[in-house]
Amino acid sequence: MRRVWPVLAALALALILAGAALRAARFRTDLADLLPRAQTPASRFMLRELQSGAANRLVLIGLQGVPASRLAALSRALTARLAASGQFSLVRNGSGDVLDSPGARFLFAQRYLLSPAVNAASFTRPALRQDARAVLTGLGSAASPLVARFGLRDPTGAGLALARAWTGGSRIGARDGVWFAAQRPATAPRALILAETRAPGIDLTAGQRAITTIRADFAALAPPGAQLVLGGTAVLSEAAERTVRADVLRISVLSALAVTALLVWRFRSAVAIAAILIPLTLGVAGATALAQAWSGSVQGMAFGFGMTMLGVSVDYPVLFIGHRKQNETPAGTLRRIGPTFALAVASALLGLSGMVFAGLPAIAALGLIAVAGLGVAAVVTWVLLPPLVVAARLAPVGFGDTGGLLGVERWRRFRWGGVAVVAACGVFLGVSGGPRFARDLAALSPVPASVLAADSALRAEVGAPDAGQLGLVRGNSAEAVLRAEAAVAPVLARLRATGAISGADDAARLLPSAATQRARQAALPAPDVLARRMAAATAGLGFRADAFAPFLADVAAARTARPVTLGDVRDPVLAARLAPLLLERGGRWYGLIAPSGVQHPAQVAAALRRAGVLYVDVATEAARLMTGATAAALRRLAWGGLAALALLFVGLRDPLRVARVAGAVVAALVVAAAALTVLEVRVSLLQVVALQLAAGVGIDYALFFARTQIDAEERARTLRTLVVCNAMTLLTFGLLATARTPLLRQIGLTVVIGAAAAMITGFLFAGPLPGATDQPATGDHPD
């Protein structure tokens, strides 16, 4: 009597356990887990700043699509709402009287200590005479109110020079009282808002909340036709997570439907489908629980890709059910396929286990999920599934006439042609230099190209410095760093003079060291000396005797003032300007020197290194990280392959059969590498992982093709079952190859090519030639 309720009950219990594991898991969505481990001081600093630096907290907000006056009103309303949300430490749009802002008042008050324009020559009688004439001219112009307010108090222009230093290369203009992109046409204005999140931008959970708040407030305030453009690390992180999540969800649903349809066609039994789902579901539960227990959280992106990889675990119950004969006992089925099944599982797990020790936390998490999930699915297939299958009397449909199989097997006579194709692929790889490897961290980025373009445009409009090359100064205190940067200033001046750079941004230019400030104090004349010079300089120009009294008072106060320190910079706008350039990490202080308009990188690098500055070429460091991580992954793939080969020798104890199995897998990898080279796919670290997966399924195929099979029906079961397994893999990863995320798309393409090649090479090279006698090797148990 057929009993289906044990299968249904087991599936229900498996679903409950999987749901409980997923509910208990704490998912971590940190894109920093995709970054390789740093090996040099430069790369360690670069990655640390990518993860937690002040610059990654910045969100760039662009408003466009309606006239400038409406954008200005929208900018003011949105800025007010975001500032009140509590999720941002800073929100600025340029509204209000900038000259009366706390930051502007602070800088103006400290101008004679901080301004680069302060020197003894500025306070000579000829220089003061020239300045007084300029003030007189300004008083007669349309700018008279500003000149009366600032010119009489600062005739030397120290405040103006300081303001220019702090604004740097900003390309922001002003219109209707708020910031606008200055270089856009008047017919397509874009208002700009700068916001700083309280949490690091690479923290996806906090970033999503901040971006959601911006979008919701914009939607509530925006007039018809207004558009929102966003940039910044938090935006890139949120876009990456959203795109990957949408891809994984869509592909999971479609692949589940496609695989289910394939299984229904193959087994023609809903109960068989339920039984096949039990190992997969328990594999998901086991993998999730182990990942949570291992590190206290589950890496979200690794989990999404890992669930796709665990689709391969469906092969295990399909292999068991597909090989079971009608009314056969589980012991009989396991005697026939058990040793090969166990060897295939062990080899695959051994090959994938190298990922657990990868240099990327996300890859390590993916390896743990894959190994745990596949291991649990294999054990469930071996232990729990047999009694359930017997109770439900599940067996594949009859095969009928197996004559067609003999015709297929005759194709193995062309294996030498296959050898020629593989050899040609190997020669091609040797001549062409092999696959092109990705040397940019962007290869690991799942951020859509449109989002990257919008971010780049906004950064250009606000005049963000070029972060392609950076100088790094280290010290035990902020003052030590500022002194070191002051010593580098002449080097930067020479580089500007030779045209190697157009400028440079550093903290000492904004906040000079105490020594520099004292030197500027020493350049300020004594009050009586300055008064005499000023009286002589203004003689005959028509100024009142006390017109420049505020100037004299400010200079006198500056002569005895305490040097300004980092702790004195309390205004959030000024602090945000300094934060990316002067920072403390682990008790050490760091100063960043950001050259702009770099024309001769080698010259800049050599000059900075001679000055004792740690030079960081971001592109070079990224390439070094990627190259090192990819090379390490390839080494792990090779060591995993050698370990799997040793296991094959132990399990098969037949050198010829081991050679057939190993040769089939190696041939598949050679063909896959050649195909990726022809398609001009740059191989990234995650694609090496995809090749590991393809190698794992290739071992499965080759072992089952190579096992001793006593009759045509047995060979038919093997061939047709492996075709079903291969079709499921191609369906799942073929859909992944349609993902919008370039990274996932290339992973899917890699697995599809590798799995298809593995099926062909396994059939051609691992199986015996037609009519050849294939005596059972140790561990094979034919009926």
Side-chain angles (χ1 to χ4, degrees):
M1 177 180 177
R2 186 180 186 188
R3 294 178 298 168
V4 300
W5 65 265
V7 174
L8 299 179
L11 178 59
L13 178 61
L15 290 170
I16 291 172
L17 291 175
L22 292 172
R23 185 178 180 85
R26 185 176 68 84
F27 288 93
R28 183 180 72 257
T29 52
D30 191 343
L31 285 183
D33 289 342
L34 282 173
L35 301 176
R37 290 176 182 167
Q39 303 298 325
T40 66
S43 59
R44 278 194 293 272
F45 180 84
M46 183 183 73
L47 291 182
R48 186 167 57 232
E49 289 309 295
L50 283 174
Q51 296 177 47
S52 58
N56 71 29
R57 300 172 186 267
L58 188 65
V59 179
L60 311 174
I61 304 173
L63 309 175
Q64 61 188 41
V66 295
S69 59
R70 303 186 73 181
L71 289 178
L74 175 59
S75 174
R76 285 188 285 268
L78 182 58
T79 298
R81 289 189 66 154
L82 294 179
S85 70
Q87 296 189 47
F88 302 91
S89 58
L90 173 70
V91 185
R92 290 289 185 272
N93 70 340
S95 60
D97 188 349
V98 176
L99 300 177
D100 273 337
S101 68
R105 290 197 299 269
F106 172 81
L107 291 180
F108 192 75
Q110 305 295 338
R111 64 192 180 279
Y112 293 117
L113 296 181
L114 303 182
S115 176
V118 175
N119 53 65
S122 300
F123 295 92
T124 61
R125 189 171 64 179
L128 292 173
R129 178 76 173 183
Q130 184 177 352
D131 292 337
R133 289 183 182 277
V135 170
L136 187 63
T137 301
L139 289 173
S141 69
S144 176
L146 285 177
V147 175
R149 183 177 176 184
F150 294 104
L152 294 173
R153 190 160 192 163
D154 182 27
T156 64
L160 180 60
L162 182 59
R164 286 172 177 162
W166 276 80
T167 54
S170 174
R171 299 188 181 99
I172 297 177
R175 195 183 305 178
D176 294 327
V178 300
W179 287 333
F180 275 79
Q183 296 184 342
R184 288 177 67 88
T187 55
R190 177 183 284 171
L192 299 173
I193 302 173
L194 304 181
E196 186 179 88
T197 60
R198 295 190 181 277
I202 208 163
D203 180 345
L204 278 179
T205 302
Q208 285 176 339
R209 286 197 300 268
I211 302 307
T212 299
T213 297
I214 294 173
R215 290 195 175 113
D217 288 347
F218 172 81
L221 298 169
Q227 301 166 0
L228 176 68
V229 184
L230 296 174
T233 302
V235 177
L236 301 183
S237 301
E238 187 266 349
E241 194 275 340
R242 173 166 39 86
T243 304
V244 170
R245 184 177 65 244
D247 274 337
V248 170
L249 178 61
R250 177 180 63 85
I251 290 165
S252 298
V253 171
L254 291 178
S255 65
L257 293 174
V259 169
T260 300
L262 177 65
L263 293 175
V264 168
W265 170 81
R266 174 65 180 83
F267 292 102
R268 296 175 173 81
S269 169
V271 180
I273 306 304
I276 289 170
L277 290 177
I278 293 171
L280 171 63
T281 306
L282 289 177
V284 170
T288 305
L290 182 60
Q292 174 67 33
W294 184 271
S295 61
S297 62
V298 181
Q299 216 292 330
M301 294 187 66
F303 179 81
F305 184 40
M307 292 305 101
T308 305
M309 288 183 67
L310 287 186
V312 176
S313 66
V314 176
D315 289 2
Y316 300 153
V318 168
L319 287 168
F320 176 74
I321 296 175
H323 279 88
R324 182 173 180 262
K325 298 179 180 180
Q326 202 67 257
N327 300 319
E328 183 180 39
T329 65
T333 306
L334 293 178
R335 274 198 306 272
R336 286 188 296 106
I337 73 166
T340 302
F341 178 88
L343 190 58
V345 171
S347 300
L349 295 184
L350 195 59
L352 292 172
S353 62
M355 287 191 293
V356 179
F357 308 101
L360 276 73
I363 301 301
L366 174 58
L368 183 67
I369 289 170
V371 169
L374 293 177
V376 169
V379 171
V380 170
T381 300
W382 186 277
V383 176
L384 179 61
L385 203 59
L388 295 176
V389 167
V390 171
R393 299 180 63 187
L394 292 176
V397 296
F399 286 98
D401 183 15
T402 58
L405 170 68
L406 299 179
V408 174
E409 287 186 331
R410 290 192 187 98
W411 294 351
R412 287 197 179 116
R413 297 188 183 279
F414 299 104
R415 65 171 48 170
W416 293 112
V419 171
V421 170
V422 174
C425 289
V427 171
F428 167 73
L429 290 173
V431 171
S432 65
R436 303 297 183 264
F437 291 97
R439 292 175 52 84
D440 190 341
L441 284 178
L444 296 178
S445 172
V447 181
S450 59
V451 178
L452 286 172
D455 174 79
S456 178
L458 284 171
R459 289 183 184 276
E461 288 173 352
V462 302
D466 177 15
Q469 291 86 27
L470 295 173
L472 184 63
V473 176
R474 293 164 287 187
N476 294 324
S477 65
E479 175 64 17
V481 169
L482 293 173
R483 286 199 304 268
E485 289 185 345
V488 179
V491 176
L492 297 175
R494 286 194 295 271
L495 290 172
R496 284 194 296 270
T498 60
I501 62 176
S502 61
D505 205 10
D506 62 80
R509 194 170 61 90
L510 309 178
L511 179 64
S513 67
T516 300
Q517 293 182 51
R518 292 191 184 99
R520 288 173 181 170
Q521 284 179 312
L524 300 175
D528 57 336
V529 174
L530 181 60
R532 287 195 301 271
R533 291 178 182 174
M534 199 68 206
T538 57
L541 295 180
F543 287 103
R544 296 196 316 266
D546 61 347
F548 291 96
F551 166 59
L552 300 177
D554 287 351
V555 172
R559 280 172 49 84
T560 59
R562 176 180 59 84
V564 180
T565 65
L566 182 61
D568 297 324
V569 184
R570 298 187 179 91
D571 179 73
V573 176
L574 301 184
R577 177 77 170 87
L578 269 175
L581 299 174
L582 183 62
L583 41 101
E584 185 266 339
R585 297 286 184 267
R588 290 278 288 173
W589 283 85
Y590 299 89
L592 264 64
I593 300 174
S596 56
V598 178
Q599 300 298 320
H600 304 288
Q603 181 182 345
V604 175
L608 290 179
R609 286 173 179 147
R610 284 195 299 270
V613 177
L614 177 63
Y615 180 75
V616 182
D617 186 316
V618 175
T620 300
E621 289 300 325
R624 183 180 292 117
L625 283 171
M626 282 292 295
T627 301
T630 304
L634 289 171
R635 286 195 299 270
R636 284 190 295 272
L637 177 61
W639 281 112
L642 290 175
L645 183 63
L647 185 62
L648 290 177
F649 270 108
V650 173
L652 294 178
R653 285 178 271 182
D654 180 344
L656 180 59
R657 196 169 304 206
V658 170
R660 282 167 25 199
V661 171
V665 176
V666 171
L669 291 177
V670 169
V671 171
L676 292 175
T677 304
V678 170
L679 294 173
E680 297 183 349
V681 175
R682 292 193 173 271
V683 177
S684 70
L685 187 58
L686 289 182
Q687 284 165 293
V688 176
V689 173
L691 288 174
Q692 286 181 281
L693 177 62
V697 298
I699 290 176
D700 288 354
Y701 301 159
L703 280 170
F704 272 89
F705 276 126
R707 60 183 283 268
T708 301
Q709 301 167 90
I710 61 172
D711 57 25
E713 182 186 357
E714 181 72 3
R715 298 200 305 276
R717 289 183 185 279
T718 295
L719 178 60
R720 292 171 180 171
T721 301
L722 291 180
V723 167
V724 171
C725 292
N726 187 247
M728 290 189 298
T729 300
L730 296 183
L731 278 173
T732 299
F733 286 93
L735 287 168
L736 192 65
T738 68
R740 291 176 299 170
T741 308
L743 182 64
L744 295 181
R745 187 165 61 245
Q746 293 190 0
I747 289 172
L749 179 65
T750 302
V751 175
V752 165
I753 293 173
M759 184 66 186
I760 296 171
T761 59
F763 170 79
L764 284 177
F765 303 145
L769 288 170
T773 58
D774 200 6
Q775 298 299 323
T778 302
D780 287 317
H781 301 278
D783 278 348

